[in-house]
Amino acid sequence: MASRILPVQIHELSSEDQDLFDRENGGPLRAIPLVFKSQGVNRPLTPSDSRAENTNKTLYRDQINKTANAVEEILSVLTAKPQAASQQKDKNEPRPSSSLRKTPNWFWSELLRRNIFRAAFSYLVLALAALQLIRLLVSWIGLSDQLTILASWILGLFFPVAMTMAWLYEMSPGGFIRIDSQESAGNPYLPSQKKPFTGGLIAVLVILIIVLFFVKPPSPNKPVALPQKSIAVIPFENRSEDPKDAYLAEALTNEIINRLTVLSDLRVYKTNSRNYDTIAMTLDVLTLLTGTVQRTGDTVLITAQLVELPKKNNIWGKTFTKRTRDMMAIRSDVAERIADVLKIKITEVEQGRLNHRPTENATAYEYYLRGRKLYEYQKNDSNDLAIQKFKDAIALDHEYASAWAGLADAYGQMGPRYGRELFWADSSLSAGKRAVLLDTTLSDAFKGLAHAYASMNRYDTAAILLRKAVQLDPNNAKAVGNLGTDCMLNGDLTEALRWEKKAVWLDRKNPIPYHIVGWIYRWLGDLPQAETWFKKSMELDPNVSIWDNYELLAYCLVGQGRSGEAMELIQTVVSPDSTDSRRLETAGLIAHFAGDKVQAKNYFQRSIDHNPSFKDDLITVSPIGLGQILLEEGNKVDAEMYLARTLEVNLRELQKNTLDDDPAFYVSAIYAIKGNRQESLIYLKKAIEFKWIDYAKFVDGPWFARYRNDPEFLAIIDGLRKKIEVMRVQAEGL
């Protein structure tokens, strides 16, 4: 048996024995002569054993040692169990082995014998190396990051496959063999050879993995990104004796910020906080600019100081003494000095923009600054004064683009906000076009022109212009806020919220972005959140310039069953002798939604009386509310007069292919008030096509009261709710 299985010939066999063996085994004996000479038979193999010394170049390095140990094992088995040989009937049956006996430590012993741990470690190291290589290729070539994720999943899924193969197979001189086969018993390979890639190469791979993972080389196609410089600007403090000169400090702050944003390598923030630690922590900036402005007659004393954060070290400071007419030069001086201190390279284009003077006329510049300050009061009379100041600036310098842009903004407020004649929209459009024509790099010029188009309900065109304004000056808080408002009016509430919250961040003392954020949350159906933002806007607006804060807050309160609280807001919006058409209309809407028809009728009538353009005014809703109340009182003649005229105006606007949703919604509301169900349904669907989403006006408002439980109307509103819910989920992370 030993002669048949092992590579050794047992001599002195008789011919009878040979014949018997041949018959039983189906073939003759095949002997392999020993050709490798060695002293002794029990010495272990050593690295010096070489096939080069073997005449036949056989694979076993010491035939004697192999044979002797095998014979010893066979004898020990036969001695222990003499019947084992007779039980082995199939010559190809696996040899008996102690490793196959199921002992308590059998599985652990098999893991060690089959080198599973070595294979697992090798697989993990190679997988990490492959994953890092893929990650680097993704970075270098610019492929999608999803490729790295896909590779991670593939490598993870193949790990159990690799471990199964390691359990079943090993490498031998003849290739891969089963570990429980006869060939495995005589496999001369070392453990590191039986499992490929598990030898000394592992140490090298481990070092390589560490280098690849912790020392990331720069991309060959992209320059190394350097940390961007950053600065926060605190509004300059007014130290003039006359409080009216406060506009100079505020204007200078804004002008310096505008100049700093020209530098592409500098991130600029405006903050109203004066706590250096808070600024450093919340804005993540490295430097802080602050200063003072003091005006005495025609002389202006300006100090500017640059502070290093978080150390609070003064790294630069300068005092400027200028005449009022020379103030424009300070903006560029400060910006250039900051660039020098922070080691920011100014390009030729940026230098040209820094040196650009919007006007050479100092008086025109001061008129413009006063006009901007008056415009920001957001009041009817102050807006008129702002228009006059902008006109005064233009009279002195007809090519003053900033003044034309300011004029476009102020004209654009006349109709929508203050209920004035409709022709002001045309004036806004003309001024905005003039501003853009004079300076195509001025962010405020595109913002002013966008304001004109928005006042004409051309929100699609306004959006394009506002994106251009933001591109020219990403820190133009008003352009950013207007873009958010435009997105909201176009029905994209998630995008609107993103832009509007950025506007809040850029100018935290401006109540308007807070107001718009509250408006967006009301449309999203999150009334408590909306209420919070409206109240914050009111805190920042003690003069009640944003009176529609109260209208929208009232809608939130009515929606939560708090109509009494809503009615209390009216006294803040209007005074007993108010003549402001828009404010009076707001008071009427609050009363109408809260269910107080008597007060609603009074305020709607007063609003109409003080609106010279109410017959052709697309924005006013007072005739609709008054018409409904008169109809309910039985005054059909007067009700028809108001409702029919407003219906005609809105239908005429729809015939112009407007994209504004208000005309379709108001037509639907008028038909609902008049009891024309089918026409109301048609125009409600059309309003939704035009991106109308304020379904709370249907649910809580008085106009659709008779159809509030109508199945077809409810189906339309439920579809709108689902659409809003999707946007609400998207907005939760903002």
Side-chain angles (χ1 to χ4, degrees), residues 487-488 491-500 520 524 724 726-732 734:
C487 290
M488 180 188 74
D492 190 347
L493 300 186
T494 307
E495 186 72 4
L497 195 60
R498 182 178 293 110
W499 285 110
E500 214 61 55
I520 295 169
L524 288 170
I724 296 296
V726 172
M727 288 191 281
R728 182 171 176 174
V729 171
Q730 293 172 344
E732 286 180 354
L734 297 178

Side-chain angles (χ1 to χ4, degrees), residues 194-210:
K194 292 180 180 179
K195 295 293 187 285
F197 307 107
T198 62
L201 182 62
I202 289 298
V204 177
L205 286 175
V206 170
I207 297 174
L208 179 61
I209 293 298
I210 293 174

Side-chain angles (χ1 to χ4, degrees), residues 3 70 83 166 259 317 321 324 393 503 505 514 567 630 693 721:
S3 178
Q83 72 276 19
R259 283 295 177 269
T321 303
T324 305
W505 180 256
Y514 292 90
M567 287 297 296
L630 291 172
I693 54 178
R721 285 179 190 270

Side-chain angles (χ1 to χ4, degrees), residues 284-332:
D284 190 26
V285 295
L286 304 175
T287 48
L288 177 70
L289 177 66
T290 185
T292 63
V293 177
Q294 183 176 355
R295 182 174 184 173
T296 305
D298 192 38
T299 303
V300 181
L301 182 68
I302 300 169
T303 64
Q305 188 176 29
L306 200 61
V307 181
E308 181 185 20
L309 297 177
K311 297 179 181 179
K312 305 177 185 177
N313 297 331
N314 295 333
I315 55 178
W316 172 76
K318 188 173 181 178
T319 300
F320 303 86
T321 303
K322 298 283 186 180
R323 292 186 179 276
T324 305
R325 62 176 178 268
D326 298 325
M327 277 190 60
M328 284 183 290
I330 295 177
R331 308 167 307 164
S332 299

Side-chain angles (χ1 to χ4, degrees), residues 137-143 145 216-226:
L137 288 174
V138 166
S139 175
W140 285 340
I141 303 176
L143 301 175
D145 290 336
K216 182 180 177 181
S219 170
N221 298 323
K222 300 178 182 179
V224 178
L226 299 175

Side-chain angles (χ1 to χ4, degrees), residues 565-608:
E565 294 179 49
M567 287 297 296
E568 294 174 2
L569 300 174
I570 292 178
Q571 303 306 317
T572 308
V573 177
V574 294
S575 59
D577 58 347
S578 176
T579 60
D580 189 311
S581 170
R582 293 291 187 241
R583 287 175 179 261
L584 289 166
E585 181 172 282
T586 294
L589 285 169
I590 293 174
H592 201 25
F593 273 68
D596 190 332
K597 301 296 179 66
V598 175
Q599 290 204 54
K601 179 182 178 181
N602 174 49
Y603 286 121
F604 284 144
Q605 186 64 66
R606 289 173 60 187
S607 172
I608 291 172

Side-chain angles (χ1 to χ4, degrees), residues 232 273 275-286 309-310 505 508:
S273 172
N275 186 307
Y276 290 5
D277 293 330
T278 300
I279 294 171
M281 180 177 61
T282 58
L283 295 181
D284 190 26
V285 295
L286 304 175
L309 297 177
W505 180 256
R508 299 190 179 187

